Amino acid sequence: MAEQKATNITWHSGAITNEDRERLLNQKGIVIWYTGLSGSGKSTLAHAVEEKLFENGNISYVLDGDNIRHGLNKNLGFSPADREENIRRIGEVSNLFADSGVIAMTAFISPYRGDRDKARELVPEGRFIEVYVKVPLDVAESRDPKGLYKKARAGEIKEFTGIDAPYEEPLNAELVIDTSEHSLEASADIVINYLKEKSLIN
Ligand SMILES: Nc1ncnc2c1ncn2[C@@H]1O[C@H](COP(=O)(O)OP(=O)(O)OP(=O)(O)O)[C@@H](O)[C@H]1O
Ligand SMILES: [Mg+2]
């Protein structure tokens, strides 16, 4: 749990509101939170959705696991405490993006239910869309796009989700997409159609 260290700090609100920004951008600021095993397709799907949103005239931004670990979260590893802090920061950053009117998409394994729920709590009701990118472990392992499962099985990587660290499945995800059953195109359309149904985009 991150403690509040600073005292004597006061929130400053500007005249331009979230609603003003959303009107300007003609979309709702939301967080689409992709979660699932390594190799389930979070990054691939998030970027496919980004392309479709772009073509539709919507501004979105993908916060992707490894990229964020190169910068903002470079001082964090994969222990349970560091994974929690990793997700806490991503939750805060994605909420800022959503408040700016942008469609923030996060592609992190985010294996702990409690951490994902905390990220959800930051965002206004209806603005957090959890997408469980579901795939059987053996499919994820056979894809192994980064060769990580091979290393985990060889004992070269410890605490690897699905092998020797837990993955807690979402209980109430807005969307569950099995990427071993749906093509990338169809998977991306599921997300886009959901956003249209909920009037989050036009
Ligand atoms: N419907 C689909 N959606 C997304 N990816 C798919 C789909 N079908 C097959 N794939 C393939 O699955 C692999 C998913 O890899 P990707 O890097 O996106 O996973 P990830 O969940 O981001 O993993 P990591 O947590 O390690 O970053 C890619 O090789 C992709 O081409
Ligand atoms: Mg990824």
Side-chain angles (χ1 to χ4, degrees), residues 21-174:
R21 291 185 287 269
E22 290 185 341
R23 214 175 315 114
L24 185 72
L25 295 169
N26 197 26
Q27 64 182 37
K28 302 280 191 235
I30 56 174
V31 175
I32 307 179
W33 190 282
Y34 299 89
T35 174
L37 294 173
S38 178
S40 58
K42 302 176 296 297
S43 300
T44 308
L45 179 56
H47 284 103
V49 171
E50 181 184 39
E51 283 179 41
K52 283 183 184 275
L53 286 171
F54 191 86
E55 280 162 25
N56 194 52
N58 300 114
I59 178 88
S60 69
Y61 194 83
V62 180
L63 298 162
D64 203 340
D66 285 1
N67 300 4
I68 296 291
R69 282 181 177 278
H70 277 110
L72 178 66
N73 290 354
K74 73 194 312 179
N75 63 332
L76 300 177
F78 289 90
S79 68
D82 278 8
R83 284 183 194 249
E84 182 182 348
E85 177 61 10
N86 182 43
I87 297 307
R88 188 190 71 80
R89 290 184 198 172
I90 299 315
E92 293 286 353
V93 171
S94 57
N95 182 42
L96 293 176
F97 270 83
D99 190 46
S100 78
V102 169
I103 297 168
M105 295 195 280
T106 67
F108 295 78
I109 297 172
S110 43
Y112 302 126
R113 205 174 285 137
D115 294 350
R116 296 190 303 265
D117 288 345
K118 277 187 216 150
R120 177 187 290 274
E121 282 161 23
L122 298 173
V123 183
E125 185 76 27
R127 299 296 185 95
F128 187 92
I129 295 126
E130 189 171 356
V131 180
Y132 178 21
V133 186
K134 190 175 177 172
V135 89
L137 178 63
D138 61 309
V139 174
E141 191 165 355
S142 67
R143 288 177 180 169
D144 208 7
K146 302 179 194 162
L148 297 176
Y149 283 98
K150 198 161 170 261
K151 284 189 184 167
R153 290 289 184 197
E156 290 165 30
I157 304 177
K158 299 276 178 236
E159 300 180 276
F160 194 73
T161 303
I163 306 296
D164 56 359
Y167 178 78
E168 298 174 0
E169 292 195 320
L171 301 176
N172 293 303
E174 277 72 10

